[in-house]
Structure formats: C-alpha cells, structure tokens
Amino acid sequence: MSGHPSEPQLALFAGGECGPLARYRVGRHVRGCARCADEVNQFEDLRQEVAEIAPPDLDWEQLSLEMRANIHVGLEAGQCIRPTHTPGLRWNPRFAVACGSLLLLVAAGLAMRSSAPEVVKGAGPVIESTGSGLELRSGANSMTILNHHGAAAGQTVSSRGEIGARYIDGETGAVTINNVYLE
C-alpha cells in the first residue's frame, strides 16, 4: 500500500467483511504498522461491546436487510428529485463541423455519382460499346468494329478515351480482342 488504509477499510478488516485482495493488502499493512494495528484492535473491542449490550433476540441479518432496503429507498428518492438538465453536457462546435463536413462529402458523392453514362452529341468523337461491337461516331459519321459470332466476354473502358472488348467465338473458341483509342 502506498499509505495507511482508511478508517472504513480498517473497520471492514476488523469485522472480517472485506474482500480477499483487500484483506491481504490491509492485513499485510497492519502487521507492519503499530498505529493501524491499534485501530483494528479498537474496532474489534467495539464490536464485542456492541454484541454484549445488544438484546439477545436481536436478528442482525434482519437488521442488515432493513438498513439496505432503507438505503435503496433513499437512492430511489434521490433519483426523483435530480435535475433533468445535466450541466456537464454542452454543445461542441468541433463535433458540429465534423458532422457538417461528413454530410457535405456524402452529398457531393451522391451528386457526382451517375448511373448511366452521358453522351454529348456533336461535341466531338464518341466511342461506344454496343451489342454488335465497338462504334466510333463523330457527328453523322460512324465506324463500327463488329463482333462476329460471339458475345462480349469482357469490356474495358478508361477515362483516357479508350475502350476494349474481347469476344469468344462459340464454334472454334477463338478469342478476338478489339481496342479503340480516341485522341
């Protein structure tokens, strides 16, 4: 122990009512400290005096139960009169800024998300993957690289203006790869 045990700890130790760890720590201290050992002896003497003057039919267990019940009633009554506003909780501007930033980030993400690609007509050449193949359109003109007999096995599109498709021929198993680059 870093210091002397408190008076309640010594009283519990004298009555044998403290837990095993506290009993070990306080007992170890009491064996080496004459002042604390004297207080423990005084608590033991007081306990014997009370037992001698108490009526013989006094039920200590019943008295303990009644005292605990009264303590619980007092605690419940204290809960009823406790103020509803807790002064320790205050508005935190940093939390509000963090929540606002997060909300702004989510809103920007939703606004920038697009479920279908936008094709701007007449703005310049456009590369598009269709069911029949890869198509390059510029105004009214178009060029299509047709897939022969297979279905597209994989398509890739990049932000640099390139599109690619792989086709597998169902009869021969041959793979055709078409890549179109837009500059």
Side-chain angles (χ1 to χ4, degrees):
M1 288 192 120
S2 60
H4 294 284
S6 66
E7 191 172 311
Q9 287 175 323
L10 292 172
L12 288 172
F13 178 76
E17 297 172 354
C18 56
L21 181 62
R23 184 173 40 247
Y24 169 75
R25 291 178 71 200
V26 173
R28 187 170 170 216
H29 178 83
V30 166
R31 283 191 294 275
C33 179
R35 188 183 104 198
C36 291
D38 185 46
E39 282 191 56
V40 168
N41 289 335
Q42 288 177 8
F43 281 122
E44 289 172 347
D45 293 342
L46 181 62
R47 189 177 176 94
Q48 287 178 352
E49 288 177 24
V50 169
E52 290 173 4
I53 62 171
D57 61 339
L58 181 64
D59 185 6
W60 288 101
E61 187 64 33
Q62 180 64 29
L63 184 63
S64 171
L65 290 174
E66 289 176 8
M67 289 175 68
R68 288 180 192 212
N70 286 336
I71 290 170
H72 286 293
V73 167
L75 291 174
E76 291 293 326
Q79 290 290 329
C80 292
I81 60 172
R82 195 170 272 165
T84 57
H85 174 68
T86 308
L89 298 177
R90 289 180 285 178
W91 181 75
N92 189 345
R94 285 184 277 175
F95 181 71
V97 168
C99 287
S101 299
L102 184 61
L103 183 64
L104 184 63
L105 181 65
V106 168
L110 289 174
M112 293 176 69
R113 187 178 77 175
S114 171
S115 59
E118 288 186 31
V119 177
V120 180
K121 303 234 185 226
V126 175
I127 300 175
E128 186 176 22
S129 174
T130 64
S132 59
L134 299 178
E135 184 176 342
L136 173 63
R137 281 184 286 135
S138 179
N141 303 321
S142 68
M143 176 182 79
T144 304
I145 301 175
L146 298 173
N147 59 340
H148 190 325
H149 290 291
Q155 296 181 343
T156 58
V157 179
S158 77
S159 61
R160 294 177 300 202
E162 53 192 51
I163 189 166
R166 289 183 302 147
Y167 301 100
I168 301 175
D169 188 353
E171 295 173 11
T172 63
V175 177
T176 302
I177 299 174
N178 295 326
N179 289 313
V180 178
Y181 302 95
L182 181 64
E183 291 184 17

